[in-house]
Amino acid sequence: MKFKEHQYGDQVHLLDDPMAAAGLTRLCDKATHSAAVVSITRSLYKEVLLRAAMNTLAPTMRATAVTPMAQLVGRRGVLEDTTVDPRTPITVAVLLRAGDVPAHACRSRLIGLYDDVRVDYFGASRQTNDRHEVTGTDVSYVKSGPLTGRLLLLPDPMGATGGSIVKV
């Protein structure tokens, strides 16, 4: 997986993925009808961005599963592969301004694969000046636990400057 170059620091990863870019382009297009926005957002985050992020950032491990066929075919009925490590504690942050659909899509995909998936909430709004120009982000609500040692996912569908992500 490739990452885009940016100036947000080494703890922020922006995926460089044509499939993700196709979805984002549709979301940003003024011709995209509102009925399609939720569907595109959900599928984009659940199947493209989340998969790319987890395959790139999450720890992996070797796993073995004895299938029901093992009693009939012996060792050929045993699956061994590299998987994501289900012990990885994950926090999915909901950016209340626009991130509830992508965050919950990610959470629903992670449940069952990981033992500890937590959802935290952050309320963010634009700060503007007297001319109604955006000057920053105001984080007015936080419901979060400790983040140390956790993989933090912040699915933000705004596709704008990234100011909300940096502030949160």
Side-chain angles (χ1 to χ4, degrees):
M1 175 55 50
K2 298 183 302 182
F3 293 109
K4 290 185 179 189
E5 291 187 29
H6 60 78
Q7 297 177 1
Y8 297 123
D10 62 357
Q11 294 298 310
V12 174
H13 305 281
L14 300 178
L15 301 175
D16 187 2
D17 181 285
M19 184 78 173
L24 185 59
T25 301
R26 287 283 180 128
L27 285 176
C28 293
D29 191 328
K30 66 181 181 181
T32 302
H33 298 284
S34 60
V37 169
V38 171
S39 177
I40 293 169
T41 301
R42 190 174 285 128
S43 65
L44 181 64
Y45 278 89
K46 194 172 188 176
E47 299 304 330
V48 179
L49 295 175
L50 181 64
R51 179 183 309 273
M54 299 310 289
N55 284 342
T56 304
L57 303 172
T60 59
M61 62 179 272
R62 290 296 294 169
T64 302
V66 178
T67 73
M69 290 301 295
Q71 65 186 15
L72 297 173
V73 297
R75 187 81 184 129
R76 291 182 297 151
V78 176
L79 172 66
E80 295 182 49
D81 210 340
T82 300
T83 70
V84 293
D85 187 343
R87 301 166 297 188
T88 304
I90 299 174
T91 296
V92 180
V94 177
L95 187 57
L96 292 173
R97 192 170 98 210
D100 57 330
V101 170
H104 289 294
C106 290
R107 178 187 175 273
S108 71
R109 182 68 176 97
L110 294 169
I111 295 294
L113 295 178
Y114 290 91
D115 302 333
D116 180 5
V117 179
R118 189 180 78 206
V119 177
D120 289 0
Y121 296 88
F122 298 87
S125 59
R126 292 183 186 105
Q127 290 176 330
T128 57
N129 61 19
D130 294 340
R131 294 179 301 231
H132 303 286
E133 299 167 328
V134 177
T135 59
T137 302
D138 178 40
V139 177
S140 58
Y141 177 80
V142 176
K143 181 176 187 253
S144 177
L147 295 171
T148 303
R150 301 184 73 83
L151 181 59
L152 174 64
L153 300 176
L154 181 59
D156 179 11
M158 295 306 288
T161 64
S164 296
I165 292 174
V166 171
K167 182 72 172 187
V168 168

